[in-house]
Amino acid sequence: MKRSQLVHPALIRLAALFLVVLDWGSPAFCGPIHDAAKYGDLAKVKSLLRHSPSLASVRDNEGETPLHWAAIRGHRDVAELLLSSGADVNSRDHEGASALQKAAFNGHKDVAELLLKNKAYVNAKDAWGQTPLHSAAFGGYKDVAELLLAGKAEVNAKDNMGDTPLHLAAVSGRKDLAELLLASTAEVNARNNDGLMPLHLAANKGHKDVAELLLANNAEVNAKGNKGETPLDAAASGNQKAAVELLLASNAQGNVNGGTALHYAAVFDLYRDVEELLLANRFDINARDAWGQTPLHYAAFKCYKDVAEVLLANRADPNARNIEGSMPLHLAAFSGCKDVADALLAGKADVNAKDNQGRTPLRLAVSRGHEDIVYLLRQYRGLE
């Protein structure tokens, strides 16, 4: 079952903004008033404005005004002076971000409150289509989010990727923000442009507490994205064992690559889940995924003895072949899983079966240098 970790655009943007903030420390980008606003030098800002009031609205090379910088760094007194000197509260930088967006992104509630009192647009969108509430949700600033919601921020606003603030709270693991948004009528099953819900994103990043919250609020556990991926597929692609276990307990199913929940339980060594799924008689124990692999193949390849034994005890076929002609014993021999190989042989696996390349389990064990398995296979009259 192949995995490729989803990298959400919001995470890329966070890294980009962080690097930009670091770069903005260079004087090459800023004039004297920008530097003064950045470092909270109220006296210098007053002096500069006294000599040239128009400096309140001057832009640096990134389109930032002094008010943007006061908002970024959280200097409320400087922001208040700039506003009283005619600074445009809704001025946008080159990425379309307002001072309110900067304050929200950096968690400065007092500055955000001041800006809102001065008629900042609470639902203004930047070039990414994100509102200040998106920024507060992603950054985990609950107090700022509460302020914005009280100012009639749109709780289900979508950015250019179709993500709502709840999507961003989910992907960044902000449970308290997710709780606040859900209490403010956020749509738990909202879909972004990829057809993914907040549950997909929380599961993929391993934010189990957020996933539990979403499920408790009626998130659709088996909803499919545009590529057919369910939250269980998303959790598996992110290699998130705890999220997989949680979703399996909620009757989740996989869809991508033809894997069943039983495959996922085997892949992640979830012995108890394997037992429960088999007891519930919900799945064909020998079901094959897109690579022709049964759950037993995965248990064998990963050396999960307990899972392999419970599968064999429930009549898993030890001689099932994948699309490469390999049986579970081939995979155990390849990986060096002696205990699993022993269980497979006791379960009457064909010790001399050949895969599509004509290789026996013994030949694989020899080529990989697994001497203990070589000895075991020869005891069962294995041939190269």
Side-chain angles (χ1 to χ4, degrees), residues 142-159:
K142 184 178 179 181
D143 56 346
V144 177
E146 288 173 332
L147 175 69
L148 295 169
L149 288 167
K152 299 185 179 179
E154 295 179 20
V155 72
N156 290 309
K158 292 193 173 187
D159 65 16

Side-chain angles (χ1 to χ4, degrees), residues 104-347:
F105 185 83
N106 290 283
H108 301 309
K109 179 187 176 182
D110 55 344
V111 177
E113 191 170 28
L114 172 67
L115 296 170
L116 287 170
K117 285 180 180 178
N118 282 269
K119 299 183 179 180
Y121 300 143
V122 71
N123 290 310
K125 291 190 174 185
D126 62 15
W128 299 71
Q130 294 188 347
T131 66
L133 186 58
H134 281 92
S135 295
F138 187 77
Y141 301 117
K142 184 178 179 181
D143 56 346
V144 177
E146 288 173 332
L147 175 69
L148 295 169
L149 288 167
K152 299 185 179 179
E154 295 179 20
V155 72
N156 290 309
K158 292 193 173 187
D159 65 16
N160 296 348
M161 298 298 298
D163 288 317
T164 65
L166 185 58
H167 280 92
L168 300 194
V171 78
S172 56
R174 313 294 188 183
K175 182 184 177 183
D176 55 345
L177 261 296
E179 286 176 327
L180 172 64
L181 294 168
L182 289 166
S184 301
T185 69
E187 187 179 344
V188 71
N189 291 314
R191 294 175 181 270
N192 64 18
N193 296 352
D194 294 320
L196 303 178
M197 305 184 317
L199 182 59
H200 285 88
L201 304 186
N204 180 261
K205 296 302 176 186
H207 302 310
K208 181 182 176 183
D209 55 347
V210 177
E212 285 176 323
L213 174 67
L214 295 170
L215 289 168
N217 281 270
N218 300 316
E220 296 176 21
V221 71
N222 290 313
K224 297 176 183 177
N226 294 348
K227 295 181 180 179
E229 64 273 47
T230 66
L232 182 58
D233 293 315
S237 73
N239 197 27
Q240 305 295 348
K241 181 175 180 177
V244 168
E245 191 167 15
L246 169 67
L247 291 165
L248 287 174
S250 300
N251 296 322
Q253 298 176 17
N255 186 58
V256 174
N257 301 325
T260 66
L262 192 57
H263 282 87
Y264 285 112
V267 166
F268 285 91
D269 194 21
L270 299 173
Y271 171 76
R272 291 181 181 176
D273 290 275
V274 171
E275 280 193 319
E276 290 174 6
L277 291 168
L278 291 172
L279 286 172
N281 197 29
R282 288 169 50 203
F283 298 97
D284 177 3
I285 197 169
N286 293 310
R288 300 170 188 269
D289 63 14
W291 294 280
Q293 305 243 111
T294 66
L296 186 56
H297 279 90
Y298 287 107
F301 181 71
K302 289 182 166 288
C303 303
Y304 296 152
K305 178 188 175 185
D306 291 342
V307 172
E309 286 180 338
V310 74
L311 290 169
L312 288 166
N314 284 272
R315 299 185 180 181
D317 183 0
N319 294 311
R321 293 177 180 269
N322 62 21
I323 60 174
E324 295 180 343
S326 296
M327 303 187 319
L329 186 58
H330 286 91
L331 301 187
F334 179 87
S335 294
C337 308
K338 180 180 181 294
D339 290 342
V340 176
D342 204 358
L344 290 167
L345 290 166

